Amino acid sequence: MSPPMSANSFLDALRDEGLTVVEVGEWRTHNRNHKGPWGPVHGVMIHHTVTKGSASTVRICRDGYASLPGPLCHGVITKDGRVHLVGYGRANHAGLGDDDVLRAVIAEKALPPDNEANTDGNRHFYGFECENLGDGEDPWPAVQLEAIEKAAAAICRRHGWTARSVIGHLEWQPGKVDPRGFTMNSMRARIDERLK
């Protein structure tokens, strides 16, 4: 079991991996911890935002909506490859997912199909929202894909995890499709190569 790293260690890990990081407001203390525990953490979850425009995307991910308060992730990866830190601690990004998937992530084994929504993912996953319309046509710039790879690898490196600890929302919660436009297997291969 891994306790979450401190906010400062999280920031250092991202910068040490060569990422350009933008700190948004009081991100270190912006969280949903009053709604439940944060940790132990077991992995990294990747999402797409279904939004356009970096400024509005970051604002939505920080503030959320009336029906889903922010933060909606820990970091927003915009199309220019920057990581905008919008919260730290429990965040509304993973929702309920499959306990069998969580066990596979913890064991760093192949993922089973996600066919249940019975486990609190907001407690156990770092989350990155990635600016993209999620329609399968909106492009993923090379610099953005590289930033996703680096951000996930940075967390895995700090916790001593392999690339198998990185999953997409679609692998966690039935009915989800994100991220759409690249495969998680291809992203895990990139992360694995970076961690070697």
Side-chain angles (χ1 to χ4, degrees):
M1 295 200 322
S2 295
M5 64 182 102
S6 71
N8 286 339
S9 293
F10 179 64
L11 176 61
D12 289 345
L14 296 173
R15 286 182 170 157
D16 288 350
E17 205 68 38
L19 287 157
T20 300
V21 179
V22 179
E23 299 181 70
V24 181
E26 299 297 322
W27 67 271
R28 288 175 176 82
T29 55
H30 184 50
N31 56 55
R32 304 288 295 161
N33 289 359
H34 64 286
K35 289 294 185 180
W38 163 234
V41 288
H42 300 297
V44 181
M45 192 173 294
I46 306 300
H47 307 260
H48 65 230
T49 59
V50 196
T51 59
K52 186 174 185 178
S54 296
S56 61
T57 295
V58 170
R59 185 175 62 253
I60 289 167
C61 290
R62 184 189 187 287
D63 298 338
Y65 307 86
S67 60
L68 189 66
L72 304 183
C73 58
H74 300 104
V76 182
I77 302 176
T78 47
K79 284 189 176 285
D80 60 6
R82 293 186 298 165
V83 180
H84 304 255
L85 299 183
V86 297
Y88 201 70
R90 186 180 177 89
N92 276 334
H93 73 98
L96 293 176
D98 195 312
D99 59 340
D100 295 326
V101 173
L102 181 60
R103 280 191 285 275
V105 169
I106 292 169
E108 297 191 315
K109 295 190 174 179
L111 299 177
D114 56 327
N115 55 20
E116 296 178 291
N118 59 10
T119 301
D120 175 11
N122 294 333
R123 175 180 184 175
H124 296 299
F125 289 94
Y126 295 92
F128 290 97
E129 286 281 357
C130 307
E131 179 191 353
N132 191 277
L133 292 174
D135 57 5
E137 297 177 13
D138 191 16
W140 290 92
V143 68
Q144 187 181 26
L145 290 172
E146 183 179 24
I148 296 167
E149 169 196 327
K150 286 180 174 181
I155 294 172
C156 290
R157 198 180 302 283
R158 284 292 171 115
H159 281 287
W161 297 336
T162 73
R164 285 192 180 269
S165 293
V166 183
I167 66 173
H169 199 191
L170 78 170
E171 295 172 309
W172 170 247
Q173 191 176 65
K176 295 298 182 180
V177 299
D178 54 317
R180 181 181 279 170
F182 63 88
T183 69
M184 284 308 301
N185 283 337
S186 68
M187 182 54 67
R188 279 188 287 268
R190 292 175 64 143
I191 295 163
D192 183 60
E193 192 60 33
R194 175 168 287 277
L195 290 172
K196 287 181 179 173

